[in-house]
Amino acid sequence: MLNKIIDHHVHTDFSPDCKTSMESTIARAKQLGLLGLLFTDHVDFDSPDPLFQDYIDYNVYMKKLEEVRKKNPELQFLMGVEIGYQPHIHDRLNKFLGEFPFDFVICSMHVCDKLDFYNGDFFIGKTQKESYLAYFDAVRKSVEEYDNFDVYGHLDYIIRYGPFEQKVLNYEQYKEAIDSVLLAIIEKGKGIELNTSGLRYNLGTMHPKIDILKSYKQLGGEIITLGSDAHKAEHLQADFDMGLELIKEAGFDYLAQFKNRKPSLIKIS
């Protein structure tokens, strides 16, 4: 079944934090016998991180996609994007997304209150609990305020960072805050992803953890995608066998795959 699954979170060297060419990822896809590829490069407008302040020229990007399509006709190529949401760039994001024919949009939060998670600024002056609650509150508000996305990315991403001894999240401790996010996503008719990269960050869990997946299903969530968050070719579809098992364990019978911003459901065997 794995060859029929399109990895819904893949970066290339168009993303500022990735040095892997489309060609390298295509070669890996062929090794795996995959039928298609969906690239979801970063667009983080007004990021405080200097690395993310050079934005992709999507006219060039689309020409590159057309080039690889012609050279690799046996593969289906789809164009996605991972947007970094901040409230003050709401209109800018909508304008950008309206200009190009995206098949799939991940909404992620990499910055909160204009403070970066990665460099630790967001965590200054906050306890671990205060940090996590502030993050989930901001995510909930972003879902309530913004419609132009398909799934929310790596929902418990906050656990990757912060100067805390234990990078863990006890679902029961944050249940009210997390479930409010899940309900907002469900009410908007949006989905979530299971992002396998948490294992590569030595967190001992995928994003989000199984407790959150189960709650999403129990609350009525139906749309779930599977993504590796690959920044290297060898990470394409990394740990997808385990990811499928977790999705089934959470109670899902179907995996969502997107084209033209519309999901189709694939039965998980």
Side-chain angles (χ1 to χ4, degrees):
M1 179 184 181
L2 286 177
N3 71 320
K4 297 178 182 178
I5 294 175
I6 294 179
D7 190 331
H8 271 55
H9 199 145
V10 179
H11 295 279
T12 74
D13 55 7
F14 280 92
S15 290
D17 60 348
C18 179
K19 296 181 180 179
T20 302
S21 67
M22 283 187 181
E23 286 82 0
S24 295
T25 302
I26 290 165
R28 177 60 175 160
K30 289 180 179 180
Q31 284 180 346
L32 295 172
L34 303 187
L35 302 179
L37 277 171
L38 169 64
F39 295 118
T40 56
D41 281 300
H42 282 294
V43 171
D44 285 76
F45 293 134
D46 200 27
S47 170
D49 186 341
L51 184 66
F52 284 84
Q53 289 169 6
D54 289 330
Y55 308 129
I56 298 169
D57 182 335
Y58 267 87
N59 293 303
V60 174
Y61 193 88
M62 290 176 65
K63 288 179 182 177
K64 180 67 176 180
L65 267 182
E66 188 58 31
E67 176 188 314
V68 298
R69 282 186 178 119
K70 288 178 179 178
K71 290 181 178 178
N72 304 277
E74 70 275 32
L75 286 172
Q76 178 187 29
F77 289 92
L78 301 172
M79 187 170 78
V81 64
E82 181 182 12
I83 57 170
Y85 183 79
Q86 296 185 73
H88 68 284
I89 61 170
H90 183 291
D91 293 340
R92 186 175 180 183
L93 285 171
N94 279 338
K95 181 178 184 298
F96 161 71
L97 292 172
E99 290 175 346
F100 301 100
F102 290 105
D103 289 292
F104 179 60
V105 178
I106 304 170
C107 182
S108 296
M109 184 166 291
H110 301 125
V111 172
C112 185
D113 297 330
K114 299 188 179 182
L115 299 172
D116 200 343
F117 301 137
Y118 179 75
N119 69 11
D121 285 352
F122 175 75
F123 302 95
I124 295 172
K126 299 184 185 76
T127 65
Q128 188 169 21
K129 185 174 184 179
E130 288 169 343
S131 298
Y132 288 7
L133 287 174
Y135 168 78
F136 286 118
D137 186 58
V139 171
R140 176 186 55 79
K141 288 177 181 175
S142 72
V143 176
E144 292 173 349
E145 294 169 357
Y146 194 66
D147 291 305
N148 204 353
F149 70 95
D150 301 310
V151 304
Y152 216 96
H154 40 56
L155 205 57
D156 55 4
Y157 172 85
I158 192 71
I159 67 172
R160 283 191 196 176
Y161 305 112
F164 310 119
E165 186 175 344
Q166 297 292 326
K167 294 184 183 297
V168 296
L169 185 146
N170 183 317
Y171 167 71
E172 291 300 326
Q173 186 177 5
Y174 299 94
K175 177 178 170 57
E176 183 177 351
I178 293 171
D179 285 359
S180 70
V181 172
L182 298 175
L183 284 168
I185 289 171
I186 293 165
E187 287 169 7
K188 282 285 183 81
K190 308 300 183 182
I192 66 171
E193 68 167 358
L194 179 60
N195 182 313
T196 66
S197 68
L199 296 181
R200 302 196 302 275
Y201 282 88
N202 297 315
L203 297 172
T205 180
M206 297 184 183
H207 294 302
K209 62 189 301 184
I210 185 66
D211 297 339
I212 298 175
L213 291 181
K214 287 180 176 179
S215 182
Y216 174 62
K217 176 62 176 173
Q218 290 165 2
L219 290 169
E222 297 180 350
I223 299 171
I224 186 165
T225 60
L226 187 57
S228 65
D229 207 344
H231 287 69
K232 296 180 179 180
E234 61 263 34
H235 292 155
L236 183 68
Q237 279 204 351
D239 299 305
F240 266 32
D241 50 352
M242 189 185 305
L244 283 174
E245 289 303 314
L246 283 178
I247 289 170
K248 287 196 289 186
E249 183 183 340
F252 291 90
D253 296 317
Y254 294 91
L255 187 68
Q257 299 199 146
F258 280 79
K259 185 177 182 180
N260 298 324
R261 303 289 304 274
K262 297 183 183 302
S264 58
L265 299 180
I266 296 179
K267 188 167 179 59
I268 302 170
S269 57

